[in-house]
Amino acid sequence: MEKNVVYGMYSGLALLMDVHHPDRPNGYGLVLIPGSGWQATQVYGAGPIKDGGSSLFVYIPSLLNAGYTLFVVNHRAAPRFRYPAAVEDVQRAVRFVRSRAREYGISVDRLGAVGYSSGGHLASLLGVLDGTGAADDPDPVNRLSARVACVVAAAAPSDLAHCEGGDVPEPVAFIGMSPPNPQGTAQDPVAMATYRAASPVTHLSRSSAPLLLTHGDADEAVPFRQSELMFSTAQKVGAEVKLIRVPGGGHGFVRDIAKHPEWPDVLGEAVRWLDQHLKATSSR
């Protein structure tokens, strides 16, 4: 593992990622985004998001065994940084990985994203946003596409305007403005527009990256209906989507899979989804 690779800078602040190399590389890369409630501790010496205890890390052994090169990213977070800082950072991470594809021995055009909770929200945005680079940017990395070819998102918020949670804070800190009321309206049209722009469900289209959703139906932090909405909307617009329901699973369901042999094989399903959509049409 390569620790603390600098994938970008923001006003002198280093943006870091860890690179996990598999024993038997399959030639494909995945950007992994841990869950954090879009927030990070603001004290000197605090560990970064990428070193935290996110449920995402349960996926790492299976993904490495399948041969994927993994790029686990840290991103700017609330309360110091608001939307769209985290989105810009994960897009920068994809661009950076793409710029180093030959160095890492991975496909330049077939990158995937995997995220859990708020990380799943950011991974979903990588699959639905256009992600076109700025052709005239002085940094050649920023000229590259930030779009990924497929996404695996677990316990992920999809509509932030209706994302009331428990253990995971509501997205007020992430957005920096009060949310719309339960009817989905707000006195402040700027706030309403911002919440919609920050919601993956808003951007779904036929051209969205294939999306695998996994969610516990007893999630106490991000309600299961968030994935149901993402699934139904994707079907309506013709995007490729699959939803795996984990019966009785809470927000950190992936940590309990060994105790529930009756549950779907969520780790195996993730690998199969990535294999299907990255390996099938790649041209390295």
Side-chain angles (χ1 to χ4, degrees):
M1 182 174 67
E2 298 176 63
K3 288 283 291 182
N4 296 329
V5 175
V6 179
Y7 69 85
M9 300 284 288
Y10 178 81
S11 190
L13 172 70
L15 303 173
L16 305 176
M17 65 168 56
D18 294 341
V19 184
H20 297 250
H21 297 276
D23 291 333
R24 294 176 297 279
N26 64 12
Y28 301 90
L30 303 173
V31 172
L32 269 61
I33 312 172
S36 63
W38 304 282
Q39 300 196 49
T41 303
Q42 302 292 296
V43 297
Y44 286 109
I49 292 170
K50 66 179 180 60
D51 294 344
S54 171
S55 297
L56 173 75
F57 290 91
V58 178
Y59 284 80
I60 288 180
S62 296
L63 298 175
L64 286 175
N65 288 338
Y68 287 99
T69 302
L70 310 180
F71 304 87
V72 184
V73 303
N74 205 58
H75 58 76
R76 287 174 290 161
R80 178 65 181 85
F81 298 101
R82 310 291 189 179
Y83 170 84
V87 181
E88 293 171 346
D89 289 352
V90 297
Q91 288 184 320
R92 169 71 189 195
V94 172
R95 293 183 171 112
F96 174 85
V97 171
R98 183 159 276 133
S99 75
R100 303 292 180 91
R102 184 179 297 276
E103 174 185 329
Y104 287 117
I106 59 175
S107 170
V108 68
D109 59 334
R110 307 296 290 178
L111 299 175
V114 181
Y116 205 100
S117 190
S118 63
H121 159 263
L122 295 171
S124 298
L125 284 174
L126 289 174
V128 298
L129 294 177
D130 177 76
T132 301
D136 58 350
D137 196 287
D139 184 348
V141 173
N142 290 336
R143 302 172 199 163
L144 301 177
S145 172
R147 186 71 176 270
V148 295
C150 67
V151 173
V152 173
S158 63
D159 180 4
L160 300 193
H162 300 88
C163 188
E164 64 282 2
D167 294 340
V168 175
E170 295 181 16
V172 178
F174 173 58
I175 299 296
M177 289 179 273
S178 297
N181 61 35
Q183 288 71 44
T185 61
Q187 295 295 323
D188 183 357
V190 174
M192 187 71 248
T194 303
Y195 271 82
R196 286 175 176 165
S199 298
V201 71
T202 303
H203 306 281
L204 278 167
S205 70
R206 183 180 294 274
S207 63
S208 294
L211 174 64
L212 174 65
L213 301 166
T214 309
H215 211 137
D217 62 12
D219 194 325
E220 70 288 351
V222 179
F224 179 69
R225 62 179 175 273
Q226 287 280 314
S227 284
E228 289 182 306
L229 174 63
M230 192 72 169
F231 177 75
S232 62
T233 304
Q235 286 190 312
K236 289 176 183 176
V237 301
E240 185 172 358
V241 63
K242 181 177 181 179
L243 172 58
I244 298 175
R245 182 180 193 138
V246 180
H251 191 60
F253 69 86
V254 73
R255 297 178 182 274
D256 298 324
I257 54 177
K259 304 175 186 176
H260 294 276
E262 76 280 7
W263 280 0
D265 178 17
V266 295
L267 301 179
E269 289 280 1
V271 170
R272 284 187 286 274
W273 186 264
L274 295 165
D275 286 349
Q276 175 186 349
H277 293 97
L278 291 181
K279 296 181 178 180
T281 58
S282 177
S283 57
R284 258 184 272 168

